[in-house]
Amino acid sequence: MTLQFVHHTQRPELWDRLTGEFAGVVPEYNLHGDINSGFWNRLFTDFPDHQFLLHDTATDTVLGAGRTLPRTWDGTPEGLGTGLDASIEAAFRDHDDGAAPDALCALGIEISPAHQGRGYSARLLAHMAAMARAAGLSHVIVPVRPTWKDRYPLVPIACVPRNSAA
């Protein structure tokens, strides 16, 4: 096994594999947000170096994907906004306004179902932190979805049950 991080600018054709091999990894409700429809395709045109894959070059297998956006952040909880959508909006606003980012915001980490449970998400998260350091960004923002949010997609995040028995 030879693992390598590959950014979209290096091998954009590898991203075509995610549709089939990663089917069902992202909860369905995540695919229908108001913000995603306006900005999702711009990830690869405006921020291609911030989208990356964990690739096993020995077997030519895509194991995982990481998506990030650079943005400005004032360091306060209020500056984070109300959630991931606010960070996405802020990143594209900053980009369009020519603002210099000082933070990297994680949009998500996805691991192919065939390769889950092997610690690859930790490698992807570590790569995000390394990307931020290399770019001179002082913060990494990682919005986290409640564990059972996919079971309660219409319930506001603040109301999702915690530590419920399965």
Side-chain angles (χ1 to χ4, degrees):
M1 184 175 283
T2 306
L3 302 183
Q4 179 181 45
F5 289 105
V6 179
H7 291 254
H8 185 265
T9 51
Q10 298 166 313
R11 301 263 325 260
E13 77 282 0
L14 288 177
W15 287 84
D16 295 338
R17 298 183 188 176
L18 268 61
T19 303
E21 294 177 27
F22 286 64
V25 172
V26 176
E28 184 66 25
Y29 73 88
N30 275 12
L31 304 175
H32 302 286
D34 295 335
I35 297 298
N36 279 348
S37 62
F39 294 118
W40 197 252
N41 290 335
R42 286 182 61 190
L43 287 177
F44 300 99
T45 57
D46 294 0
F47 302 106
D49 286 328
H50 291 87
Q51 317 317 313
F52 59 95
L53 301 170
L54 181 58
H55 182 240
D56 181 349
T57 59
T59 62
D60 191 29
T61 305
V62 176
L63 306 171
R67 302 169 200 265
T68 67
L69 287 172
R71 61 162 290 190
T72 58
W73 180 44
D74 64 7
T76 67
E78 297 78 25
L80 292 172
T82 56
L84 183 58
D85 286 354
S87 277
I88 293 170
E89 221 169 5
F92 281 100
R93 183 178 55 250
D94 290 344
H95 176 269
D96 294 346
D97 292 347
D102 58 1
L104 186 67
C105 181
L107 298 180
I109 290 175
E110 304 159 20
I111 305 298
S112 166
H115 303 286
Q116 291 177 359
R118 299 179 187 169
Y120 295 139
S121 59
R123 289 179 186 235
L124 289 160
L125 189 58
H127 186 68
M128 286 181 186
M131 287 171 49
R133 279 191 301 277
L137 304 177
S138 56
H139 305 285
V140 177
I141 302 166
V142 183
V144 179
R145 178 181 70 235
T147 303
W148 280 13
K149 180 62 177 152
D150 60 321
R151 296 182 186 189
Y152 303 95
L154 301 178
V155 175
I157 284 184
C159 299
V160 173
R162 298 172 194 209
N163 294 331
S164 298

